[in-house]
Amino acid sequence: MLKSVLFDIDGTITDTNPIFLDAIVHTHYEMTGQQKNREFFHFSLGIPSPVTMGILEIPQDIRVPYIQRWQEHIKEKMHEVVLFPGIVTVLESLKEWGLSMALVTSKVRSEFSFQFDTFGLNHFFQVVICADDAPRPKPNPDPLYEACSRLKVKPRDTVYVGDSRYDIMAAKAAGIPFLFASWGSIDPNSVLELYPEFYLKEPIEILDVVQKKT
């Protein structure tokens, strides 16, 4: 029986992926002198910023200022970010139905605070799991296990809503059914090739799945 719903944030609740990509394009050029396009950085959506530094092979001595500059560019554009249509209705309905909810994100805690608090949605979630709250971040299952532990539910009694390949990999590793939030996905084919249990075109469809599983 479904008792809770776990959510990713970026590309699932908030339409942040485009500004994240623009921010890292600018930052990378400033810090390295290398001009790359948006597509080059698609891999960075859904993993912690320190992991991105490793994949990009950024020298150790500039990783901290690189991340700081990246976050500064994001802050400059956060006022442009909107919630996906219907997501508030979904959260209100799930709360009314008595389901517990958690956020499971690859942001570190400091990034979460300035990137999410302003939307006024924190009261819907009993638990927030950031990248620094689990031994290993997504695509490992650890953050989802941690969320289940804090909510006191078993993986089979929840679902995870997310938009990225890392999200579905984590869900499958944890044995949690995955609801693919296609409305915010930058690279949907990379998710579809892993066969999500549910393919959703808009947030309101989350409620249909929940009703069938409760």
Side-chain angles (χ1 to χ4, degrees):
M1 179 178 174
L2 192 65
K3 298 179 180 178
S4 69
V5 180
L6 314 180
F7 287 87
D8 175 50
I9 299 176
D10 302 308
T12 301
I13 294 176
T14 58
D15 191 7
T16 38
N17 286 339
I19 72 162
F20 285 179
L21 290 172
D22 287 343
I24 195 171
V25 166
H26 292 312
T27 302
H28 196 72
Y29 180 71
E30 291 173 344
M31 300 300 294
T32 70
Q34 299 174 2
Q35 186 69 60
K36 304 290 185 180
N37 59 27
R38 269 186 171 195
E39 289 72 23
F40 177 82
F41 294 104
H42 279 182
F43 77 88
S44 68
L45 298 174
I47 54 175
S49 49
V51 176
T52 297
M53 296 299 96
I55 294 173
L56 290 173
E57 298 182 340
I58 301 300
Q60 288 287 347
D61 61 326
I62 66 168
R63 289 189 181 188
V64 171
Y66 187 117
I67 292 174
Q68 289 175 339
R69 187 61 180 143
W70 185 8
Q71 296 307 313
E72 288 170 2
H73 281 307
I74 291 173
K75 285 181 180 179
E76 292 168 359
K77 294 291 185 178
M78 279 303 296
H79 67 280
E80 300 178 5
V81 175
V82 297
L83 301 174
F84 285 106
I87 198 68
V88 174
T89 298
V90 169
L91 298 176
E92 289 174 340
S93 297
L94 295 177
K95 182 178 181 180
E96 182 179 337
W97 295 348
L99 280 84
S100 60
M101 289 179 275
L103 294 171
V104 182
T105 177
S106 289
K107 304 176 190 290
V108 297
R109 184 66 59 170
S110 60
E111 294 168 348
F112 169 80
S113 297
F114 83 82
Q115 293 177 17
F116 191 76
D117 287 355
T118 57
F119 293 103
L121 301 179
N122 297 62
H123 65 284
F124 286 111
F125 303 97
Q126 289 74 46
V127 169
V128 176
I129 303 298
C130 293
D132 34 6
D133 292 323
R136 301 175 300 169
K138 296 182 289 185
N140 297 290
D142 305 37
L144 297 180
Y145 286 148
E146 183 66 22
C148 290
S149 175
R150 296 191 191 187
L151 289 174
K152 295 180 171 55
V153 299
K154 296 179 180 179
R156 66 170 180 265
D157 294 329
T158 189
V159 293
Y160 186 41
V161 188
D163 68 297
S164 78
R165 182 178 181 86
Y166 306 118
D167 293 330
I168 189 173
M169 290 172 67
K172 286 186 175 295
I176 295 175
F178 184 69
L179 280 61
F180 176 33
S182 68
W183 55 83
S185 181
I186 292 292
D187 187 8
N189 288 335
S190 70
V191 179
L192 291 173
E193 67 185 15
L194 296 179
Y195 302 103
E197 286 84 351
F198 300 93
Y199 175 88
L200 308 183
K201 294 182 179 180
E202 54 185 1
I204 203 70
E205 294 176 9
I206 295 170
L207 299 181
D208 295 332
V209 175
V210 169
Q211 286 180 318
K212 291 175 182 177
K213 294 181 71 66
T214 52

